[in-house]
Amino acid sequence: MLIPFLDSWRALTHPREAFQDLPPPLGVALGRMAAVWIPLALGNALLTCWRALQGYEALRKGGLPLDLLATAGVDPTVVEDLLKTLPPALPLTRLLPWLLVLVPLGVLGTWLHHAVWDHTGLWLLGGLKAKRGFRTSLLAEAEALRHAALGTLVGLLSFLPLLGGLLSIPLLLLDGYLWLFRGFALAARHDCEPWRGLAATVIHAMLLGCCALGLLTCLVILLRVGA
Amino acid sequence: MRRVPWLALGSVLAGLGIWVSARLAPLAGLLPGCAFKQFTGYACATCGLTRCTLALGRGDWRGAFHWHPVAAGLALLLPVAVLWDLRRAWRGEAYPGLPESRWARLAAWALVLGTWALQAVRGI
């Protein structure tokens, strides 16, 4: 890998050819995924926390548009009094040790979660006829998520002032593509048609997205608006 | 060679999660609710799951069955699954693959869609 992420770029732009080589052992694939994704996820988490803390501090210092609240029928003095009672934000350095523990756990949890749900989705669609088992799904997810980590890197652009806002919709579309991208790895490693792999990730999104992802989206929107 | 009983360990963690969730019940009101239901007006297949989990945490099985009968039924079957997994793990037997039968897959689809219909019709 002379140029970082070159192979990930190639895989993401030519997903059908990306998983045709002999698969690496599961441990190797997992190690590669962790080595690429955890540092990027950590950077993303740090920036998210930093922005959230900034938003919180702005809120404490009366960052709310009180005039607008008044027109909405809310008493600004009550809101101001409430904001003054908020405790000061934690320094980012105090959150760092927690992030160092939680981010790797989150990465591994996401990998396992995707493997379980995508494997189930593939089974529902009759894509497990080659009888390669759950271990193959774990391997496919690790390979796909290593490449999809490039999306996390691109996603860091959303923290740039102004440009971040402009890029929000393209980044959302990229997230959608990266979700589907796992389907190519699943299909290749389970030796079934690509549509079954892609549809497995869609079923995963439908089963989960109704509730958990919907909640998560609401929370992310609230955080973004707050920041 | 014996193997790790992942299903049993997962079940223990799920049980612990349910117990903890009952302690966090006052915070449940802060959750924004199901986005699918907010947008469409219809319940999704997982609507009622949080309330079912909270009811299970209180030991209120009647309430749990009301909010999400399928999840409550699965929770009821969990001890059986734990015993099955521990027995197989002790004997060193690997996990069996998911059944290849088309009927088994159709039954799973029916369960998912049936649950969805049930929750939507009841307006959970």
Side-chain angles (χ1 to χ4, degrees):
Chain A
M1 193 168 60
L2 289 174
I3 303 173
F5 295 109
L6 182 62
D7 57 342
S8 293
W9 171 257
R10 281 189 189 138
L12 289 169
T13 48
H14 299 88
R16 280 170 187 266
E17 292 92 53
F19 305 100
Q20 299 304 321
D21 299 342
L22 273 178
L26 178 59
V28 173
L30 182 61
R32 284 179 186 162
M33 179 197 80
V36 175
W37 196 13
I38 288 177
L40 289 171
L42 198 59
N44 190 33
L46 269 172
L47 284 168
T48 305
C49 286
W50 172 69
R51 182 175 271 193
L53 292 174
Q54 269 195 330
Y56 179 79
E57 271 306 309
L59 193 73
R60 274 188 72 230
K61 289 172 184 164
L64 277 178
L66 295 177
D67 297 340
L68 201 68
L69 288 176
T71 55
V74 180
D75 186 355
T77 54
V78 174
V79 178
E80 269 183 327
D81 289 344
L82 183 72
L83 292 177
K84 278 175 192 163
T85 61
L86 290 175
L90 289 173
L92 193 60
T93 47
R94 277 190 66 186
L95 291 178
L96 189 61
W98 287 100
L99 291 180
L100 287 173
V101 175
L102 292 176
V103 168
L105 282 177
V107 163
L108 291 178
T110 306
W111 166 64
L112 275 174
H113 163 94
H114 282 331
V116 168
W117 283 91
D118 288 350
H119 188 77
T120 309
L122 202 59
W123 173 69
L124 282 170
L125 293 163
L128 298 180
K129 294 208 171 106
K131 295 187 177 174
R132 292 189 181 165
F134 181 60
R135 200 179 170 83
T136 303
S137 291
L138 285 170
L139 172 78
E141 297 288 343
E143 287 185 287
L145 290 171
R146 176 173 74 93
H147 295 309
L150 181 59
T152 309
L153 182 68
V154 178
L156 295 179
L157 291 173
S158 69
F159 290 98
L160 292 173
L162 191 66
L163 188 65
L166 291 173
L167 286 176
S168 55
I169 290 177
L171 288 175
L172 204 63
L173 292 173
L174 177 66
D175 279 345
Y177 172 66
L178 293 175
W179 183 276
L180 293 173
F181 175 73
R182 300 197 316 271
F184 289 104
L186 276 171
R189 295 310 181 203
H190 278 287
D191 199 18
C192 65
E193 302 92 323
W195 74 264
R196 287 187 206 268
L198 293 172
T201 64
V202 174
I203 286 177
H204 172 175
M206 280 167 62
L207 288 179
L208 188 78
C210 293
C211 180
L213 205 66
L215 287 180
L216 196 68
T217 309
C218 285
L219 286 174
V220 169
I221 291 169
L222 285 172
L223 272 176
R224 290 266 158 141
V225 171
Chain B
M1 202 175 94
R2 285 174 197 142
R3 62 164 172 80
V4 180
W6 292 110
L7 188 62
L9 286 176
S11 302
V12 170
L13 281 178
L16 200 66
I18 287 170
W19 182 81
V20 170
S21 72
R23 268 79 226 158
L24 298 175
L27 298 175
L30 297 173
L31 292 171
C34 175
F36 182 83
K37 192 175 181 183
Q38 279 175 358
F39 286 124
T40 64
Y42 293 101
C44 77
T46 57
C47 269
L49 207 54
T50 308
R51 287 164 286 182
C52 171
T53 308
L54 292 175
L56 283 174
R58 293 192 304 271
D60 174 15
W61 282 91
R62 185 190 287 265
F65 270 100
H66 169 73
W67 291 119
H68 205 292
V70 178
L74 289 175
L76 206 59
L77 288 175
L78 222 51
V80 180
V82 168
L83 289 176
W84 173 83
D85 191 31
L86 287 174
R87 184 167 171 266
R88 286 184 71 99
W90 185 260
R91 292 179 171 188
E93 292 167 357
Y95 286 109
L98 289 165
E100 256 317 303
S101 149
R102 179 185 293 255
W103 290 107
R105 276 190 281 123
L106 285 175
W109 272 112
L111 183 69
V112 172
L113 297 175
T115 307
W116 193 346
L118 185 72
Q119 298 301 78
V121 166
R122 297 193 308 151
I124 289 293

